[in-house]
Amino acid sequence: MRKQTRETGRNRRRYARLEKENIHLREALGTAQSANRAKSTFLSNMSHDIRTPMNAIMGMTSIGLSHIDEKARVQDCLLKIQTASTHLMSLVNDVLDMSRIDSGRMTISEEEFSLPDLVHDIAVIIRPQALQKNQSLILDIGEIYEEELVGDPLRLRQILVNIIGNAVKYTGENGRIRVSFSQHLCADNQAEGKDRVWLDFSCEDNGMGMSREFLKRIFVPFERVNNEATSKIEGTGLGMSIVKNLIDRMGGEIQVESEEGEGSCFRVTLLADVSRRDRKSPNLTAGATVLIAEALEHRSGKICGFLRECGLVPVVVTSGLTAVTWLTEAQYENRMPCAMLLGQKLEDTPSLELASHIRQLAGASFPILLVSETDWSQIEYRTTRAGINAFVPCPLFKSRLLETMSRLLNAGQEDSDKGIDGDYGGCHVLLVEDNELNQEIALELLSLIGVNVETADNGQEALELFEASDENYFDVIFMDIQMPVMNGYEAARRIRRLNRPDAGEVFIVAMTANAFVEDIRLSREAGMNDHISKPIDFEHLKEILSRQLKIRKS
């Protein structure tokens, strides 16, 4: 009887175990079936989303070729091809990023970066998209304790651009988007012996919003809102899944609130180490007066706070008439301010018109700085003609404002943000590229700006050309990575080991289709200074050349 009872107990336990295993198997099967359905939907969406820009590229190419003698028509086709190519590239990057996450090959780097640079890069990317839809995009900077940080700026930018880009994408014409950046101090700094801050980011819009049901699946790969309103909006359904994975790997948190028809709000919190790099204090004379012409109270208040912190005395006026009157009296009484900060909005006069009046009144040597959200490249010509000496971009950071003022007041030079004159005639470049078509494209782009170019078909040829050249002959080396005979990494390492002074100083740029963070890290470990991913961004290429010419001339 006892034996039968023990056997019955064993059978029950065995049955319970098998039932539990069956439950797990059914759950796993349900998950797999759900994932397969999502992937099938994704492949269907991707087929449509990839074909859309491809159709534009092929169609516009055909139209351009059939109207080859009509410059305006060809130019219009090329601009549309450029837009479609950029979108196609973003689709491919999303798919490749998700693949790397799934395979465990996604890594997070640790490097020093500037928070102001990161935020301004994001603004440059996002603002044109918002302007196309006539949206109000407000970038607000709250309490910032540390501007120089340690982390992964590329991945951080990817997270923020994805979230803000979605807000622009899913918010209609004339919509409102408010983005804010701030920090709060880490409570366990002293306990861990580290200096850290929490980065707080939020993005709120009044767009189409999401249902409560979809919010439960927002971070699931390949999921997208499917309704009439979103049917014409392109995307892979991978962006938010990538964002969530990156934030998790960085030890942060993301929260989402949304209602259909009411908009969405994303909040991200990330922990970042503070850079130990010493920052040069701005050289400004305590007690000097600065005239601020700005009608936006929140903007003038922030500027005043920054100036007072370093001992300057701000005076605020809100109209052009008041500014001219104040300066006229100050000039007569010999109490001129050390500089004038010209804001974006005045009560009675356009800012650039006021700058022209001030330049005539105060003379050629009086420093005038423009503080504006406008992209500098769009207004540089008009501002220079109006007599403005320097430009401080918004959203406004303390370091940018004070460093620009310090450079202007102490050196009498224009702010470096204004760029250079574009004279590349004396620039010598070594282009290392094994693919004939890619080499032709790069040569053509460089020839457009007058750069002197020599080419090598592989790393070994590049090494020999550099060895045979005079010292400091090459300003920049653009180096492909995957090449026969000797790859780009090995060529860079061997150039750095050469026994000549310029071997350690020549600026080497990886110009390659290897576009991931790990690839950038490998190029830096090999001794390269910068990285350009293919397809080549012509503006990025020019920016590198401009920067290097400035350094060589100084």
Short mmCIF file of all heavy atoms in Angstrom, two decimals, residues 89 93 96-97 100 105 154-155 433-434 438 479-483 487-489 509-524 528 530-536:
data_model
loop_
_atom_site.label_atom_id
_atom_site.label_comp_id
_atom_site.label_asym_id
_atom_site.label_seq_id
_atom_site.Cartn_x
_atom_site.Cartn_y
_atom_site.Cartn_z
N MET A 89 19.40 55.21 -46.16
CA MET A 89 20.52 54.91 -45.27
C MET A 89 20.06 54.74 -43.84
O MET A 89 20.54 53.86 -43.11
CB MET A 89 21.55 56.04 -45.37
CG MET A 89 22.92 55.67 -44.83
SD MET A 89 23.69 54.42 -45.89
CE MET A 89 24.89 53.74 -44.76
N ASN A 93 20.57 51.42 -41.49
CA ASN A 93 21.25 51.52 -40.20
C ASN A 93 20.42 50.94 -39.07
O ASN A 93 20.94 50.29 -38.16
CB ASN A 93 21.59 52.98 -39.90
CG ASN A 93 22.79 53.47 -40.69
OD1 ASN A 93 23.61 52.66 -41.15
ND2 ASN A 93 22.90 54.77 -40.87
N LEU A 96 20.60 47.11 -39.26
CA LEU A 96 21.92 46.62 -38.86
C LEU A 96 22.13 46.79 -37.36
O LEU A 96 22.71 45.93 -36.69
CB LEU A 96 23.01 47.35 -39.64
CG LEU A 96 23.05 47.06 -41.14
CD1 LEU A 96 24.13 47.90 -41.81
CD2 LEU A 96 23.27 45.59 -41.41
N ASP A 97 21.66 47.92 -36.80
CA ASP A 97 21.78 48.12 -35.36
C ASP A 97 21.02 47.04 -34.59
O ASP A 97 21.50 46.51 -33.59
CB ASP A 97 21.22 49.51 -34.97
CG ASP A 97 22.32 50.55 -34.85
OD1 ASP A 97 23.49 50.15 -34.83
OD2 ASP A 97 22.01 51.75 -34.76
N ARG A 100 22.89 43.81 -34.59
CA ARG A 100 24.03 43.79 -33.66
C ARG A 100 23.56 43.64 -32.22
O ARG A 100 24.22 43.01 -31.41
CB ARG A 100 24.86 45.07 -33.84
CG ARG A 100 25.51 45.18 -35.21
CD ARG A 100 26.19 46.52 -35.39
NE ARG A 100 27.51 46.53 -34.80
CZ ARG A 100 28.60 46.06 -35.39
NH1 ARG A 100 28.53 45.52 -36.59
NH2 ARG A 100 29.77 46.12 -34.79
N ARG A 105 26.64 42.02 -30.12
CA ARG A 105 27.86 42.71 -30.54
C ARG A 105 27.78 44.23 -30.36
O ARG A 105 28.69 44.94 -30.73
CB ARG A 105 28.16 42.39 -32.01
CG ARG A 105 28.60 40.95 -32.22
CD ARG A 105 28.94 40.68 -33.67
NE ARG A 105 27.77 40.75 -34.52
CZ ARG A 105 27.71 41.45 -35.64
NH1 ARG A 105 28.73 42.17 -36.04
NH2 ARG A 105 26.61 41.46 -36.37
N LEU A 154 27.97 59.13 -29.36
CA LEU A 154 27.31 58.67 -30.58
C LEU A 154 26.00 57.97 -30.26
O LEU A 154 24.96 58.23 -30.89
CB LEU A 154 28.23 57.74 -31.36
CG LEU A 154 29.46 58.38 -31.99
CD1 LEU A 154 30.35 57.31 -32.62
CD2 LEU A 154 29.07 59.40 -33.04
N ARG A 155 26.02 57.08 -29.26
CA ARG A 155 24.80 56.37 -28.88
C ARG A 155 23.81 57.29 -28.19
O ARG A 155 22.59 57.17 -28.39
CB ARG A 155 25.15 55.19 -27.96
CG ARG A 155 25.92 54.08 -28.66
CD ARG A 155 25.18 53.56 -29.86
NE ARG A 155 25.89 52.48 -30.53
CZ ARG A 155 25.59 52.01 -31.72
NH1 ARG A 155 24.60 52.55 -32.40
NH2 ARG A 155 26.27 51.02 -32.25
N GLU A 433 42.13 54.32 -51.29
CA GLU A 433 40.86 53.67 -51.61
C GLU A 433 41.08 52.67 -52.74
O GLU A 433 41.63 53.02 -53.79
CB GLU A 433 39.84 54.73 -52.03
CG GLU A 433 38.54 54.21 -52.60
CD GLU A 433 37.75 53.41 -51.61
OE1 GLU A 433 37.23 54.01 -50.65
OE2 GLU A 433 37.64 52.18 -51.80
N ASP A 434 40.65 51.42 -52.52
CA ASP A 434 40.90 50.38 -53.52
C ASP A 434 39.78 50.27 -54.55
O ASP A 434 39.99 49.78 -55.66
CB ASP A 434 41.10 49.01 -52.85
CG ASP A 434 39.82 48.50 -52.20
OD1 ASP A 434 39.23 49.26 -51.40
OD2 ASP A 434 39.41 47.37 -52.47
N ASN A 438 34.46 54.31 -55.84
CA ASN A 438 34.54 55.11 -54.62
C ASN A 438 35.67 56.13 -54.70
O ASN A 438 35.54 57.26 -54.22
CB ASN A 438 34.75 54.20 -53.40
CG ASN A 438 33.52 53.42 -53.04
OD1 ASN A 438 32.41 53.77 -53.44
ND2 ASN A 438 33.69 52.33 -52.30
N MET A 479 41.62 57.32 -45.24
CA MET A 479 42.04 55.93 -45.32
C MET A 479 40.84 54.97 -45.31
O MET A 479 40.06 54.93 -44.36
CB MET A 479 42.94 55.61 -44.10
CG MET A 479 43.49 54.21 -44.06
SD MET A 479 44.94 53.99 -45.14
CE MET A 479 46.19 54.89 -44.18
N ASP A 480 40.70 54.21 -46.39
CA ASP A 480 39.72 53.12 -46.40
C ASP A 480 40.20 52.02 -45.46
O ASP A 480 41.39 51.96 -45.12
CB ASP A 480 39.55 52.60 -47.83
CG ASP A 480 38.41 51.60 -47.96
OD1 ASP A 480 37.50 51.64 -47.11
OD2 ASP A 480 38.44 50.78 -48.90
N ILE A 481 39.30 51.13 -45.03
CA ILE A 481 39.68 50.08 -44.09
C ILE A 481 39.90 48.74 -44.79
O ILE A 481 40.98 48.16 -44.73
CB ILE A 481 38.62 49.94 -42.98
CG1 ILE A 481 38.50 51.25 -42.18
CG2 ILE A 481 38.98 48.78 -42.04
CD1 ILE A 481 39.76 51.70 -41.51
N GLN A 482 38.90 48.25 -45.46
CA GLN A 482 38.99 46.94 -46.10
C GLN A 482 39.64 47.07 -47.48
O GLN A 482 38.99 47.48 -48.44
CB GLN A 482 37.61 46.30 -46.19
CG GLN A 482 36.98 46.02 -44.84
CD GLN A 482 35.65 45.31 -44.95
OE1 GLN A 482 35.27 44.85 -46.02
NE2 GLN A 482 34.93 45.23 -43.84
N MET A 483 40.93 46.71 -47.54
CA MET A 483 41.68 46.82 -48.79
C MET A 483 42.60 45.61 -48.94
O MET A 483 43.00 45.00 -47.94
CB MET A 483 42.53 48.10 -48.79
CG MET A 483 41.74 49.39 -48.78
SD MET A 483 42.82 50.85 -48.84
CE MET A 483 43.62 50.76 -47.22
N ASN A 487 45.43 46.37 -45.03
CA ASN A 487 44.20 47.11 -44.71
C ASN A 487 44.50 48.45 -44.05
O ASN A 487 45.65 48.75 -43.72
CB ASN A 487 43.26 46.26 -43.84
CG ASN A 487 43.82 45.99 -42.45
OD1 ASN A 487 44.42 46.84 -41.81
ND2 ASN A 487 43.62 44.76 -41.97
N GLY A 488 43.47 49.25 -43.86
CA GLY A 488 43.64 50.61 -43.35
C GLY A 488 44.15 50.68 -41.93
O GLY A 488 44.94 51.56 -41.59
N TYR A 489 43.69 49.76 -41.07
CA TYR A 489 44.15 49.75 -39.68
C TYR A 489 45.67 49.55 -39.61
O TYR A 489 46.39 50.28 -38.91
CB TYR A 489 43.47 48.62 -38.89
CG TYR A 489 41.99 48.77 -38.72
CD1 TYR A 489 41.15 47.66 -38.85
CD2 TYR A 489 41.40 50.00 -38.41
CE1 TYR A 489 39.78 47.77 -38.69
CE2 TYR A 489 40.02 50.11 -38.25
CZ TYR A 489 39.22 49.00 -38.40
OH TYR A 489 37.87 49.09 -38.23
N VAL A 509 42.07 60.01 -41.29
CA VAL A 509 40.62 59.85 -41.18
C VAL A 509 40.20 58.53 -41.82
O VAL A 509 40.51 58.28 -42.99
CB VAL A 509 39.88 61.01 -41.89
CG1 VAL A 509 38.37 60.85 -41.73
CG2 VAL A 509 40.34 62.35 -41.35
N ALA A 510 39.51 57.69 -41.04
CA ALA A 510 38.94 56.47 -41.61
C ALA A 510 37.74 56.87 -42.47
O ALA A 510 36.82 57.52 -42.01
CB ALA A 510 38.50 55.53 -40.49
N MET A 511 37.78 56.50 -43.74
CA MET A 511 36.68 56.79 -44.66
C MET A 511 36.18 55.44 -45.18
O MET A 511 36.71 54.88 -46.13
CB MET A 511 37.16 57.69 -45.81
CG MET A 511 36.02 58.25 -46.63
SD MET A 511 36.49 59.72 -47.60
CE MET A 511 37.64 59.03 -48.78
N THR A 512 35.14 54.92 -44.51
CA THR A 512 34.82 53.52 -44.69
C THR A 512 33.33 53.25 -44.52
O THR A 512 32.60 54.04 -43.92
CB THR A 512 35.61 52.68 -43.66
OG1 THR A 512 35.14 51.33 -43.66
CG2 THR A 512 35.42 53.22 -42.25
N ALA A 513 32.90 52.10 -45.04
CA ALA A 513 31.51 51.66 -44.85
C ALA A 513 31.32 51.04 -43.47
O ALA A 513 30.20 50.75 -43.07
CB ALA A 513 31.14 50.64 -45.93
N ASN A 514 32.41 50.80 -42.72
CA ASN A 514 32.30 50.28 -41.35
C ASN A 514 31.89 51.43 -40.44
O ASN A 514 32.73 52.22 -40.01
CB ASN A 514 33.65 49.71 -40.88
CG ASN A 514 34.12 48.58 -41.77
OD1 ASN A 514 33.36 48.05 -42.56
ND2 ASN A 514 35.37 48.20 -41.63
N ALA A 515 30.59 51.52 -40.15
CA ALA A 515 30.05 52.75 -39.57
C ALA A 515 29.60 52.62 -38.12
O ALA A 515 28.99 53.53 -37.58
CB ALA A 515 28.86 53.23 -40.41
N PHE A 516 29.88 51.50 -37.46
CA PHE A 516 29.39 51.31 -36.10
C PHE A 516 30.38 51.83 -35.08
O PHE A 516 31.56 52.09 -35.37
CB PHE A 516 29.08 49.83 -35.86
CG PHE A 516 27.93 49.33 -36.68
CD1 PHE A 516 28.14 48.57 -37.81
CD2 PHE A 516 26.62 49.65 -36.33
CE1 PHE A 516 27.08 48.11 -38.57
CE2 PHE A 516 25.56 49.19 -37.09
CZ PHE A 516 25.79 48.43 -38.21
N VAL A 517 29.91 51.94 -33.83
CA VAL A 517 30.75 52.48 -32.75
C VAL A 517 32.01 51.64 -32.58
O VAL A 517 33.10 52.17 -32.37
CB VAL A 517 29.95 52.51 -31.43
CG1 VAL A 517 30.85 52.90 -30.27
CG2 VAL A 517 28.80 53.50 -31.54
N GLU A 518 31.86 50.29 -32.68
CA GLU A 518 33.02 49.43 -32.53
C GLU A 518 34.06 49.71 -33.61
O GLU A 518 35.27 49.66 -33.36
CB GLU A 518 32.60 47.96 -32.60
CG GLU A 518 31.66 47.55 -31.49
CD GLU A 518 30.21 47.69 -31.87
OE1 GLU A 518 29.83 48.73 -32.45
OE2 GLU A 518 29.44 46.77 -31.62
N ASP A 519 33.59 50.01 -34.83
CA ASP A 519 34.50 50.32 -35.94
C ASP A 519 35.25 51.62 -35.69
O ASP A 519 36.44 51.74 -35.99
CB ASP A 519 33.72 50.41 -37.25
CG ASP A 519 32.94 49.13 -37.55
OD1 ASP A 519 33.54 48.05 -37.44
OD2 ASP A 519 31.76 49.23 -37.88
N ILE A 520 34.53 52.60 -35.13
CA ILE A 520 35.17 53.87 -34.79
C ILE A 520 36.23 53.66 -33.72
O ILE A 520 37.33 54.22 -33.78
CB ILE A 520 34.11 54.89 -34.33
CG1 ILE A 520 33.14 55.20 -35.48
CG2 ILE A 520 34.76 56.17 -33.82
CD1 ILE A 520 31.96 56.06 -35.09
N ARG A 521 35.91 52.82 -32.73
CA ARG A 521 36.88 52.52 -31.66
C ARG A 521 38.11 51.84 -32.23
O ARG A 521 39.25 52.19 -31.88
CB ARG A 521 36.22 51.63 -30.61
CG ARG A 521 37.17 51.21 -29.48
CD ARG A 521 36.44 50.38 -28.43
NE ARG A 521 35.80 49.22 -29.01
CZ ARG A 521 36.45 48.09 -29.33
NH1 ARG A 521 37.76 48.00 -29.12
NH2 ARG A 521 35.80 47.07 -29.85
N LEU A 522 37.94 50.87 -33.14
CA LEU A 522 39.08 50.18 -33.74
C LEU A 522 39.95 51.14 -34.55
O LEU A 522 41.19 51.03 -34.53
CB LEU A 522 38.58 49.05 -34.65
CG LEU A 522 38.00 47.82 -33.94
CD1 LEU A 522 37.36 46.87 -34.95
CD2 LEU A 522 39.09 47.09 -33.16
N SER A 523 39.32 52.07 -35.25
CA SER A 523 40.11 53.02 -36.04
C SER A 523 40.94 53.92 -35.13
O SER A 523 42.08 54.24 -35.44
CB SER A 523 39.19 53.86 -36.95
OG SER A 523 38.35 54.69 -36.20
N ARG A 524 40.36 54.31 -34.00
CA ARG A 524 41.12 55.15 -33.05
C ARG A 524 42.26 54.38 -32.41
O ARG A 524 43.35 54.92 -32.20
CB ARG A 524 40.17 55.71 -31.99
CG ARG A 524 39.25 56.79 -32.53
CD ARG A 524 38.29 57.30 -31.50
NE ARG A 524 37.45 58.36 -32.05
CZ ARG A 524 36.40 58.88 -31.44
NH1 ARG A 524 36.05 58.43 -30.25
NH2 ARG A 524 35.70 59.83 -32.00
N MET A 528 44.03 56.41 -35.82
CA MET A 528 43.32 57.37 -36.66
C MET A 528 42.64 58.44 -35.79
O MET A 528 42.28 58.18 -34.64
CB MET A 528 42.27 56.66 -37.52
CG MET A 528 42.88 55.61 -38.45
SD MET A 528 41.70 54.97 -39.63
CE MET A 528 42.60 53.56 -40.28
N ASP A 530 39.88 60.57 -36.86
CA ASP A 530 38.46 60.84 -37.10
C ASP A 530 37.90 59.73 -37.99
O ASP A 530 38.63 58.84 -38.42
CB ASP A 530 38.27 62.22 -37.75
CG ASP A 530 36.93 62.85 -37.40
OD1 ASP A 530 35.96 62.10 -37.16
OD2 ASP A 530 36.85 64.09 -37.38
N HIS A 531 36.59 59.83 -38.25
CA HIS A 531 35.91 58.76 -38.96
C HIS A 531 34.81 59.34 -39.84
O HIS A 531 33.99 60.13 -39.37
CB HIS A 531 35.31 57.79 -37.93
CG HIS A 531 34.71 56.55 -38.51
ND1 HIS A 531 33.46 56.54 -39.10
CD2 HIS A 531 35.18 55.27 -38.58
CE1 HIS A 531 33.20 55.31 -39.51
NE2 HIS A 531 34.22 54.53 -39.21
N ILE A 532 34.81 58.99 -41.12
CA ILE A 532 33.73 59.35 -42.03
C ILE A 532 33.15 58.05 -42.58
O ILE A 532 33.87 57.23 -43.13
CB ILE A 532 34.22 60.21 -43.21
CG1 ILE A 532 34.71 61.56 -42.72
CG2 ILE A 532 33.11 60.41 -44.23
CD1 ILE A 532 35.22 62.46 -43.84
N SER A 533 31.84 57.87 -42.39
CA SER A 533 31.23 56.65 -42.90
C SER A 533 30.70 56.89 -44.32
O SER A 533 30.32 58.00 -44.67
CB SER A 533 30.08 56.20 -41.99
OG SER A 533 29.12 57.22 -41.86
N LYS A 534 30.72 55.84 -45.11
CA LYS A 534 30.18 55.90 -46.46
C LYS A 534 28.69 55.58 -46.42
O LYS A 534 28.28 54.73 -45.62
CB LYS A 534 30.90 54.92 -47.38
CG LYS A 534 32.38 55.23 -47.57
CD LYS A 534 33.06 54.14 -48.37
CE LYS A 534 34.55 54.38 -48.50
NZ LYS A 534 35.24 53.26 -49.17
N PRO A 535 27.87 56.20 -47.26
CA PRO A 535 28.19 57.20 -48.28
C PRO A 535 28.78 58.47 -47.66
O PRO A 535 28.41 58.86 -46.55
CB PRO A 535 26.84 57.50 -48.93
CG PRO A 535 25.95 56.37 -48.54
CD PRO A 535 26.44 55.89 -47.22
N ILE A 536 29.69 59.10 -48.39
CA ILE A 536 30.44 60.23 -47.87
C ILE A 536 29.55 61.45 -47.69
O ILE A 536 28.82 61.84 -48.61
CB ILE A 536 31.62 60.58 -48.81
CG1 ILE A 536 32.59 59.40 -48.90
CG2 ILE A 536 32.35 61.82 -48.32
CD1 ILE A 536 33.61 59.54 -50.00
#
